[in-house]
Structures are given as C-alpha cells and as structure tokens.
C-alpha cells in the first residue's frame, strides 16, 4: 500500500512542477500533466524500476484505473452542470444539431477513407477494422477540453456551445460505435444481430440517463438535510462516487446485455442536480476545488498509458496518420457545415472544429471492446497512436482556438467575463 501512496504523491508533485515549466512556454497545464505521465511511464523513468517512482509496466498503470474512472466521473458531473435550462433555451437546438451532425460526418469521412484504403490494399486493413475506426473517430475527449476551459477561465459563446456539444458528442459516438461494431461482427462472423446493433446501444443511453436522473434527484433530496458547506460538499462527492460505481454495473436478461455509460450517468446526475437545486452553482465550485488533485492524477495516469511501441510499426504509423488526417478534416468540416446550418456566429463556425479534436478515454474504451475482432490489434494500435498525438496537441489547439475567438485573454491571466466587467 505504501508503494501506491508514494507513487500517487510523486505523480502529483511531478505533474504540478511540470506545469510550471509548461507555463513559461504558454502551454496548457493538461499538456504538462500528460508529458509527465509519459516520462513516468514504462518507456522512461518507469523503466528504471525504482519503487514508488513511475510505472515499470502498463499493468502498474492499470492498477490505478479506479482513480482515472473516478476523475472522469467528476469531469462528466461538471459538464452536466453546463446543461442548465437557461442555457438550453438559447443554445440547445444549435448544440444538438452540431453535436449529432459533426459526429456523423466525421465518422462518414473516416469510413470512406479507410474503406477506400481497404479496397486498394486489403492486406493493410480489414473492412471490419475500417468500419470500427470510422465510428471511434466521432468520439471527443471531454476531460482535456474542460480542463483548458477551467485553467484559462474561458467565457463566451464558443465555450458555452463547446461544452454542450462535447457532452452530446459522446452519446452520438456511443450509438455510432455500437451500430458499427454490430456490422463489423456481422461481416467477420457472418451473423447479424439487430439486438446488438440497435437495441443494446439505445437501452444503454436510456438506462444511463434514467440512472443519472435518479442519482441527481436523490442528491438534491439528501443535500436539503444539511446546511454546512463542508457536509454538502462531502455528500456531493459521495454521490458522484456512487454514480461512477453504479455506472460500472453490467447484467444480462436473456440474450440482451444491459450496461451504463459512465459519462452519461455522471453528466445526467450533474444536469438534474444543477437544474433543481438553487445552491448548486456555489456547490459545484467547491466540488471543482476538491477534485483538482484528482484531475491532475487523471492526466498523469493517462500520459503513462500512452504506448510508444506504435512507432516500431511503419504500417500502423501510416494507418494512424491517415486516420488522424481524415478525422481532423471530418471534425473541422463537419463542425463548419453544421454551424452554418445552425446559423452560428463567425467565430464559433471558424474555431469549434479545432476544439473538438482531443481524443482519449472514450476512444480507448471503444478500441478495447473491438479487440475481440480478428483485426483488433490494428484498431487498438491506431487508436493508441491517435490518442498519443491528440492528447499532446489537442489542449494546445483548444487554447489557440478559444484565444483566437476572444474567449481567453492572451496571457491566460484574466477571463473574458472579468474583462467585460472591468470595461463596464
């Protein structure tokens, strides 16, 4: 147990110290945490096999997976707080249109490119792998985006729309992946299941939203019994942990598999709570403060999970580069088209696609599910490569886009809201 405590403390200290170095180069703290994890991983310091310092194997990294899942739950809970009715009335229609359309168009672009690669070179990538990678391309990482927004206290129409779109994107990505996975299995094994393709993903979304709603309402009822800020904070933390744990449950009834999406459950918990509780905004601020160390650990651990072995395989590198280029084009043009259709402002239309590039845990989870396919190793390696690239440059691009849109002060010291108040 002492080894884990020393390792966790070393990860925290190292990540925070690295963020000071990153600040001198105007880089987001998220990038610093990811680089720290990479340095502490099996390919660098971890390879020295010093007790408590770094991760000697990827199995060691996985041992702290519960911390990553918990942190992701709190991040999703915070994003749920953005779905306030007042915000949905002004931007809800735009967010839903953009969230769905850009994800579908991204998946379509990557599918066309990779299926074309399969048709010209069948030995490089199989048809099921091409279809699965197209679906995985739609997923966006909410964690890195939210951390950049919080660090620089970004404020404005692009930021507000971005947080709504990222949340919707995960629900759409889940449907696209489940449907594509069913099709891929049908092609590979010669059996078609309408249950796996349509019913199970829809049930997962509905059950996740229902579970999140129940937990969010229960949180509101319990919070009313307490008036102390510290006790209310403790209850909030306990309920988010409950949401994370409950979302991991899986069960079967007959041939139908039932499960939950951690992101959707925790997002819905935050959404319901913030819309029915009159003191939710103050409490959310306190929860954010409490979870700051957990967020640092999440990104350091994520960095340690990045596998550099991908660089040893030229074929995987080539597919990975094609995947990254086509996904980037899909996200940027998909966002641009959907923003034009939704009559968004010029800044939002121009920069939203760039902010949707980060990709991490959700994509890796999809790749893990698809590993049972014959070409599962190709899917995993391509996603690992894209995550490595997107996680390191994604936060920088998000900061760049929000700064260009005028929603981050160039120095990152004051936010747009404070600047507006100062000029008032």
């Amino acid at each position: 147990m002492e080894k884990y405590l020393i390792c966790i403390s070393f990860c925290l200290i190292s990540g925070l110290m690295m963020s000071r170095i990153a600040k001198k180069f105007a880089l987001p703290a998220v990038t610093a945490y990811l680089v720290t994890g990479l340095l502490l991983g099996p390919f660098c310091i971890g390879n020295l096999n010093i007790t408590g310092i770094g991760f000697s194997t990827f199995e060691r990294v996985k041992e702290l997976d519960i911390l990553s899942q918990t942190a992701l739950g709190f991040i999703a809970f915070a994003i749920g707080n953005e779905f306030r009715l007042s915000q949905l009335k002004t931007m809800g229609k735009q967010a839903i249109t953009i969230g769905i359309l850009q994800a579908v168009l991204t998946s379509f672009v990557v599918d066309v490119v990779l299926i074309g690669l399969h048709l010209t070179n069948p030995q490089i990538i199989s048809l099921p792998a091409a279809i699965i990678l197209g679906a995985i391309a739609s997923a966006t990482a909410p964690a890195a985006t939210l951390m950049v927004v919080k660090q620089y206290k970004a404020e404005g129409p692009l930021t507000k729309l971005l947080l709504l779109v990222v949340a919707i994107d995960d629900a759409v990505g889940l449907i696209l992946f489940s449907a594509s996975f069913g099709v891929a299995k049908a092609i590979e094994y010669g059996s078609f299941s309408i249950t796996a393709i349509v019913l199970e993903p829809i049930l997962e979304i509905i059950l996740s939203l229902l579970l999140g709603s129940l937990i969010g309402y229960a949180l509101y009822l319990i919070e009313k019994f307490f008036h102390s800020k510290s006790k209310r904070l403790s209850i909030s933390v306990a309920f988010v942990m409950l949401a994370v744990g409950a979302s991991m449950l899986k069960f079967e009834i007959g041939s139908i598999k039932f499960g939950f999406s951690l992101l959707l459950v925790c997002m819905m918990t935050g959404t319901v709570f913030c819309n029915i509780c009159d003191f939710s905004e103050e409490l959310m601020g306190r929860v954010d403060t409490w979870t700051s160390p957990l967020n640092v650990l999440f990104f350091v651990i994520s960095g340690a999970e990045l596998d550099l072995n991908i660089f040893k395989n030229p074929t995987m590198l080539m597919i990975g580069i094609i995947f990254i280029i086509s996904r980037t084009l899909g996200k940027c043009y998909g966002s641009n088209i959907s923003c034009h259709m939704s009559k968004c402002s010029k800044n939002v239309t121009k920069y939203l696609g760039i902010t949707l590039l980060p990709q991490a845990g959700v994509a890796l989870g999809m790749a893990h599910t698809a590993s049972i396919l014959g070409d599962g190793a190709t899917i995993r390696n391509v996603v690992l490569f894209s995550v490595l690239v997107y996680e390191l440059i994604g936060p920088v691009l998000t900061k760049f886009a929000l700064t260009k849109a005028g929603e981050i002060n160039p120095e990152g010291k004051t936010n747009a809201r404070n600047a507006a108040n100062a000029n008032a």
Side-chain angles (χ1 to χ4, degrees):
M1 187 60 68
E2 67 276 7
K3 294 178 183 179
Y4 290 109
L5 290 175
I6 293 170
C7 183
I8 289 169
S9 65
F10 193 78
C11 287
L12 268 174
I13 294 167
S14 302
L16 291 169
M17 293 302 294
M18 184 66 79
S19 71
R20 296 301 85 195
I21 298 173
K23 188 175 182 181
K24 294 185 181 296
F25 296 94
L27 294 173
V30 176
T31 302
Y33 303 148
L34 289 164
V35 171
T36 301
L38 199 58
L39 293 174
L40 294 178
F43 296 97
C44 196
I45 294 173
N47 197 38
L48 299 176
N49 206 18
I50 302 173
T51 302
I53 299 178
F55 303 93
S56 56
T57 63
F58 288 114
E59 286 70 28
R60 292 291 185 190
V61 183
K62 292 297 291 181
E63 288 171 1
L64 297 181
D65 191 53
I66 189 63
L67 289 176
S68 297
Q69 295 298 312
T70 305
L72 196 57
F74 278 101
I75 288 165
F77 182 68
I79 290 176
N81 188 48
E82 301 298 323
F83 281 82
R84 294 182 178 271
L85 288 176
S86 57
Q87 205 130 295
L88 290 175
K89 286 177 183 177
T90 57
M91 307 184 81
K93 187 177 180 181
Q94 283 183 333
I96 292 170
T97 302
I98 296 167
I100 295 173
L101 193 55
Q102 59 81 26
V104 171
L105 287 174
T106 300
S107 184
F108 175 75
V109 170
V110 176
D111 267 337
V112 168
V113 171
L114 292 183
I115 290 173
L117 179 63
H118 163 75
L119 293 175
T120 54
N121 297 281
Q123 72 279 5
I124 292 179
I125 186 170
S126 66
L127 183 57
I131 293 171
I132 288 293
L133 286 170
I136 292 175
S138 65
T140 297
T145 302
L146 184 65
M147 286 292 285
V148 172
V149 168
K150 284 184 176 180
Q151 180 186 352
Y152 296 102
K153 299 178 176 61
E155 180 74 17
L158 174 58
T159 302
K160 290 176 182 177
L161 184 62
L162 168 62
L163 293 175
L164 295 175
V165 169
V166 164
I168 293 167
D169 181 275
D170 284 311
V172 178
L174 176 64
I175 294 174
L176 290 173
F177 174 76
S178 298
S180 298
F181 187 48
V183 171
K185 285 197 295 184
I187 293 171
E188 184 154 316
Y189 302 122
S191 59
F192 181 84
S193 171
I194 193 71
T195 300
I197 295 175
V198 179
L199 185 59
E200 287 180 2
I202 291 175
L203 281 174
E204 181 170 332
I205 291 171
I206 293 172
L207 289 174
S208 297
L209 295 178
L210 285 174
L211 179 61
S213 299
L214 288 173
I215 295 175
Y217 185 66
L219 171 58
Y220 164 67
L221 293 178
I222 299 295
E223 289 280 13
K224 292 198 297 184
F225 287 101
F226 300 91
H227 302 286
S228 162
K229 292 179 180 178
S230 61
K231 287 186 173 64
R232 281 179 169 176
L233 171 62
S234 300
I235 288 295
S236 300
V237 170
F239 267 82
V240 176
M241 289 182 175
L242 172 64
V244 172
S247 68
M248 295 178 180
L249 298 174
K250 296 183 184 298
F251 56 96
E252 291 185 30
I253 298 179
S255 61
I256 301 175
K257 297 177 182 177
F258 294 86
F260 304 95
S261 163
L262 184 151
L263 286 172
L264 290 182
V265 170
C266 294
M267 280 179 197
M268 199 61 187
T269 300
T271 298
V272 170
F273 178 68
C274 78
N275 279 292
I276 62 177
C277 181
D278 54 2
F279 53 83
S280 64
E281 197 153 2
E282 178 195 352
L283 193 55
M284 290 299 294
R286 290 178 171 274
V287 171
D288 285 344
T289 303
W290 185 88
T291 56
S292 291
L294 198 58
N295 290 336
V296 175
L297 280 173
F298 172 78
F299 287 104
V300 172
I301 293 170
S302 296
E305 287 178 322
L306 299 177
D307 191 345
L308 299 184
N309 279 321
I310 186 70
F311 291 108
K312 295 179 181 178
N313 190 327
T315 302
M316 289 300 109
L317 276 177
M318 182 194 71
I319 300 172
I321 291 169
I322 292 172
F323 175 82
I324 289 171
I325 292 172
S326 56
R327 179 179 181 269
T328 300
L329 290 173
K331 284 290 179 185
C332 291
Y333 283 105
S335 297
N336 193 280
I337 292 168
S338 53
C339 282
H340 274 298
M341 290 177 61
S342 303
K343 296 181 172 58
C344 294
S345 66
K346 184 179 178 180
N347 270 348
V348 172
T349 303
K350 187 175 181 180
Y351 295 112
L352 180 64
I354 299 173
T355 63
L356 294 174
L357 292 178
Q359 193 174 43
V362 177
L364 289 172
M366 291 176 177
H368 177 72
T369 301
S371 62
I372 64 168
L373 297 173
D375 212 4
T378 297
I379 296 169
R380 181 179 179 276
N381 287 332
V382 170
V383 172
L384 280 171
F385 178 62
S386 74
V387 166
L388 174 64
V389 173
Y390 281 126
E391 280 296 86
L392 293 176
I393 68 169
V396 178
L397 292 175
T398 299
K399 180 199 170 187
F400 166 80
L402 292 175
T403 302
K404 285 291 186 180
E407 300 185 11
I408 290 178
N409 181 275
E411 286 75 35
K413 295 178 180 178
T414 59
N415 64 23
R417 178 168 46 199
N418 292 341
N421 291 338
N423 294 330

